[in-house]
Amino acid sequence: MSALTNETAIKRRLLLASDRSDQSSELADILQSVSEVDTIPTSEIPATPARDLSGIVVDINLRSAESVQLVRDKLQAEAYREMPRLFVLADALHHGSMQAWALGATDTIVRPFDAQGILRRIRAAFPDDSSYNETDRGKTLNRGVEAAHGVMVKIFQKLPAGVPLKFSDIVEAENKILKAIKHSSLREWLTTVGCHHTDSYRHCLFVTGFAVAFAQHLGMREDDQRRLTRAALLHDVGKAFVPVAILDKPSALTPAEMDEIRQHPRRGFEALSAQGGFPQEMLDVVLHHHELLDGTGYPDGLSGKEISDIVRLTTIVDIYAALVEKRAYRLQFIHVKAFGMMEEMGDKLDQHLLQAFRPIAIGQG
């Protein structure tokens, strides 16, 4: 353990649930250098977690239907709904990672263990109020996520209830978001969002994170970074007017439900246009972020030069986020696969912009 850095005043506390105690001792030793660790059999996962528990690490045979069902039954309790959960994979194969993310993983680690890599994951996935959040970096990240979340609340809860969304609401949040990703990292943004937000909120916050990181990677002027941040935050505003039962439906949508979903760009555009005060380019993104360069997109079937640069860029990060969210977005092969799928879309996307996005996409593996 001498190679690991011990932290003083440890307050992070983790539950290590394992059905393979003979193999989990090494992981427990690693975790103990940065947290208090309680190791228990998966059958003994409590119905209600202790109030001071930072998160749960699950080390099970993901090919065992019995083990998977046991963990699913334990963790589906309301008390665990918002708790960060890290799963241990036997290898980087597709089956295990997909099973982990189906069980609600917020991060994964793979055997054989890289101690330093695991510790970085632990610090990001399970923030320690006594150390991580007291750093300027941690505070900046939290402020950014909170600001973005505040915009989501205004979009998905207040706007449908008749409370107007103002352009100033977006501008107020953008500074904190830009600082958060610049001074921490996209990985930490995705980890924090993945731990604490779900469904439509999480998608919009993922898109925002990828968009800001992309803009900063391209060296865009600050004004342009702000424009892209606003566009990403607002792009799915129309989904506020789609029934939640459709947005969160776990199974395939019917043709009628799909048509309902496809109405969201126009509904968002009409809502913001009626309120007034939003720049035309932001309305353009809201209305056209599902348009494709070959004319097969919706709602207007635009093509080629009819689609602006900011829409092209937002479309790329929107599609990419949709492909990787709720999956193993920290396993490189998942990122590579998602990026490859977008390359295969050919002339539907701006391939020059897509290749510029590669370092951001693949860099999260």
Side-chain angles (χ1 to χ4, degrees), residues 95-106:
H95 177 275
S97 64
M98 290 302 97
Q99 192 67 268
W101 293 96
L103 291 170
T106 50

Side-chain angles (χ1 to χ4, degrees), residues 284 288 291 293 295 300-308 311-312:
D284 183 28
H288 293 135
E291 302 286 359
L293 296 183
D300 295 325
L302 302 183
S303 63
K305 294 182 179 179
E306 294 176 303
I307 302 175
S308 67
V311 170
R312 296 178 186 213

Side-chain angles (χ1 to χ4, degrees), residues 68-364:
V68 167
Q69 188 59 51
L70 175 61
V71 170
R72 178 179 288 112
D73 291 343
K74 294 282 189 177
L75 297 187
Q76 69 181 2
E78 180 65 24
Y80 285 98
R81 190 171 69 86
E82 297 296 330
M83 177 165 289
R85 51 189 74 177
L86 184 149
F87 277 71
V88 180
L89 307 180
D91 48 50
L93 295 178
H94 184 76
H95 177 275
S97 64
M98 290 302 97
Q99 192 67 268
W101 293 96
L103 291 170
T106 50
D107 201 354
T108 59
I109 55 177
V110 184
R111 283 190 166 89
F113 296 136
D114 165 22
Q116 294 296 344
I118 289 175
L119 297 185
R120 286 194 295 270
R121 294 290 181 87
I122 293 298
R123 293 186 181 101
F126 309 114
D128 173 16
D129 290 339
S130 70
S131 57
Y132 180 85
N133 287 337
E134 284 302 311
T135 65
D136 289 339
R137 177 173 172 167
K139 287 180 178 179
T140 299
L141 175 64
N142 290 339
R143 289 192 193 107
V145 173
E146 287 169 6
H149 177 260
V151 173
M152 295 303 105
V153 170
K154 291 175 180 176
I155 288 175
F156 289 101
Q157 295 183 26
K158 296 186 177 181
L159 185 58
V163 179
L165 179 69
K166 298 177 291 186
F167 180 55
S168 59
D169 293 332
I170 311 301
V171 173
E172 185 178 341
E174 70 189 34
N175 283 333
K176 295 176 182 178
I177 295 168
L178 286 165
K179 287 181 181 178
I181 295 176
K182 180 179 181 180
H183 295 295
S184 54
S185 69
L186 174 59
R187 183 190 295 275
E188 289 170 312
W189 175 274
L190 296 178
T191 297
T192 304
V193 168
C195 287
H196 301 295
H197 304 284
T198 58
D199 306 323
S200 297
Y201 282 29
R202 177 159 64 179
H203 174 69
C204 290
L205 298 181
F206 271 24
V207 171
T208 299
F210 281 121
V212 172
F214 193 13
Q216 292 176 349
H217 171 73
L218 292 175
M220 286 186 176
R221 296 177 308 169
E222 185 173 323
D223 285 349
D224 290 331
Q225 291 185 29
R226 294 178 185 279
R227 291 167 57 220
L228 191 57
T229 304
R230 299 166 191 169
L233 280 170
L234 271 185
H235 80 286
D236 263 349
V237 63
K239 285 186 177 177
F241 305 101
V242 176
V244 174
I246 294 178
L247 285 179
D248 297 343
K249 185 178 179 181
S251 56
L253 297 177
T254 66
E257 290 168 337
M258 182 61 71
D259 183 64
E260 182 80 14
I261 285 282
R262 290 167 71 95
Q263 299 301 316
H264 81 268
R266 194 166 300 283
R267 288 178 179 172
F269 173 79
E270 291 173 349
L272 297 188
S273 296
Q275 287 181 197
F278 288 87
Q280 185 58 44
E281 68 174 6
M282 293 181 71
L283 298 177
D284 183 28
V285 169
V286 169
L287 181 59
H288 293 135
H289 63 279
H290 284 291
E291 302 286 359
L292 299 171
L293 296 183
D294 66 351
T296 60
Y298 64 91
D300 295 325
L302 302 183
S303 63
K305 294 182 179 179
E306 294 176 303
I307 302 175
S308 67
D309 288 344
I310 194 169
V311 170
R312 296 178 186 213
L313 202 154
T314 305
T315 298
I316 285 174
V317 295
D318 182 35
I319 293 174
Y320 187 78
L323 288 173
V324 300
E325 66 187 4
K326 294 187 179 180
R327 299 181 185 182
Y329 56 76
R330 289 177 187 81
L331 293 179
Q332 189 171 19
F333 78 94
I334 292 295
H335 279 270
V336 170
K337 180 178 179 181
F339 192 82
M341 291 169 65
M342 294 179 70
E343 288 181 310
E344 290 172 3
M345 291 177 70
D347 60 3
K348 292 181 181 294
L349 300 176
D350 187 320
Q351 291 294 326
H352 292 293
L353 271 180
L354 181 62
Q355 291 307 316
F357 182 62
R358 178 187 287 273
I360 302 300
I362 307 302
Q364 299 315 301

